Amino acid sequence: MEIPVNVSLDLDNTLNCGQTFRWHKKNEKWYGVVNRTPLILNYDPTQSLLEVQSIGEEINGETLENGIIHYLGLNDSLQSIKGNALKQVEKTHPDFIPLFHEIVDPSLGIRLLRQDPWEMLVEFLLSTQSNILTIKKRCEKLAGFFPENQVFIKEEPFFLFPSIDQLRHLEVDDFQSMLFGYRSKWLKELVDTIDIRMFKTLKNMPLEQKLNYMTGFSGIGYKVANCVALFGFSDFRAFPVDVWISRFLNQYFGVTGNAENLMVVGQEIFGEFCGYIQEYIFYYIRTRCR
DNA sequence: GCCCAGGGGTAGT
DNA sequence: ACTACCCATGGG
């Protein structure tokens, strides 16, 4: 199947900018799973065509095509998001305008994915104090623990992300064997105590309620909860503050503080789509600022 | 060997 | 409320 793409799309950096951990590229094609549907994606920017291989017929009750359009955020107007944030920057920090363009313009094909909130919660709990390569290996380790979740497109294997019921059957030692370290007990406690139906209702609640609920679990602090809100619940007012963003805000705005304080700073500077801008800043720091 | 990583919990101020 | 320190482990 082929999907015509008539908006800007930087698929490589969308799938490789730290918002998702289980996509991998081989021979110019991307391999990954969206909800319970394995996909092979091959984007040709010169033709603006997205070639899709799959064994599934639908994603989350939608047609394959609509499901992929939704997942990739192809309906997001990146120009509007930039314009909205720029207006806010002009009001609050006009001296930052040149750097704002320098950061955002090269990123206007990077899109925030609509990922599964449960998978985001588990994966970002495992992300603490680790680099992205290590996080990716952990996520693969966890998914690969369940051979019954393996599916194929032709000869190519994929693992569906484990459900909460599957994870409930594991012990702390199982997680230790996957080298999750001190995160093992956090994950065990999470799967034992979370009310997954309650968790899913956060989708329609304000950011503050999302954060309040999620930070109630051990191992889920403000940074991780913001990542889940942004990448799992598509709440663009979320503003995750990790060591990179913290250093950036300190360097260019002279502010310091914890993840909660700096989240508010980011919201004030960049406005209601600050989560999108946060991702562009993260990409900028890690590709052009080192 | 050393330092860092998409942090968070906790005890001591 | 703020700080210092610890946590397990892999990668550069």
Side-chain angles (χ1 to χ4, degrees), chain A residues 48 65 103 105 129 178 180 226 235 248 284:
Chain A
S48 293
E65 177 168 352
I103 290 171
D105 288 347
Q129 195 66 14
M178 295 181 238
F180 294 170
N226 269 283
D235 191 330
F248 176 87
Y284 170 82

Side-chain angles (χ1 to χ4, degrees), chain A residues 226-242:
Chain A
N226 269 283
C227 284
V228 178
L230 186 57
F231 306 131
F233 289 114
S234 304
D235 191 330
F236 298 148
R237 291 190 64 252
F239 194 87
V241 176
D242 68 346

Side-chain angles (χ1 to χ4, degrees), chain A residues 150-167:
Chain A
Q150 194 174 31
V151 296
F152 293 87
I153 298 177
K154 295 187 172 37
E155 305 296 309
E156 206 62 44
F158 299 79
F159 284 89
L160 308 186
F161 192 77
S163 69
I164 180 153
D165 290 324
Q166 289 179 311
L167 292 179

Side-chain angles (χ1 to χ4, degrees), chain A residues 229-287:
Chain A
L230 186 57
F231 306 131
F233 289 114
S234 304
D235 191 330
F236 298 148
R237 291 190 64 252
F239 194 87
V241 176
D242 68 346
V243 289
W244 301 92
I245 297 295
S246 177
R247 284 196 288 256
F248 176 87
L249 291 176
N250 183 21
Q251 180 176 348
Y252 291 103
F253 297 93
V255 290
T256 57
N258 59 30
E260 186 176 1
N261 304 138
L262 293 181
M263 172 192 77
V264 176
V265 171
Q267 290 171 338
E268 288 170 351
I269 297 175
F270 299 113
E272 59 183 313
F273 298 106
C274 58
Y276 244 104
I277 306 304
Q278 188 273 3
E279 196 59 15
Y280 292 165
I281 294 172
F282 185 73
Y283 173 69
Y284 170 82
I285 300 170
R286 294 172 55 87
T287 55

Side-chain angles (χ1 to χ4, degrees), chain A residues 191-205:
Chain A
V191 300
D192 280 349
T193 60
I194 193 170
D195 178 344
I196 196 71
R197 291 192 177 278
M198 175 80 75
F199 171 65
K200 286 179 179 172
T201 64
L202 294 178
K203 170 77 180 168
N204 300 313
M205 296 187 186

Side-chain angles (χ1 to χ4, degrees), chain A residues 3-4 50 64-75 114:
Chain A
I3 299 176
L50 182 63
L64 205 53
E65 177 168 352
N66 286 341
I68 290 168
I69 289 171
H70 178 256
Y71 176 78
L72 292 178
L74 294 181
N75 291 329
R114 270 62 172 179

Side-chain angles (χ1 to χ4, degrees), chain A residues 18-23 123-124 127 132 135-136 139-140:
Chain A
Q19 63 173 321
T20 188
F21 300 118
R22 295 198 327 118
W23 283 93
E123 292 182 349
F124 275 99
S127 78
I132 292 179
I135 301 167
K136 286 182 173 178
C139 295
E140 283 312 313

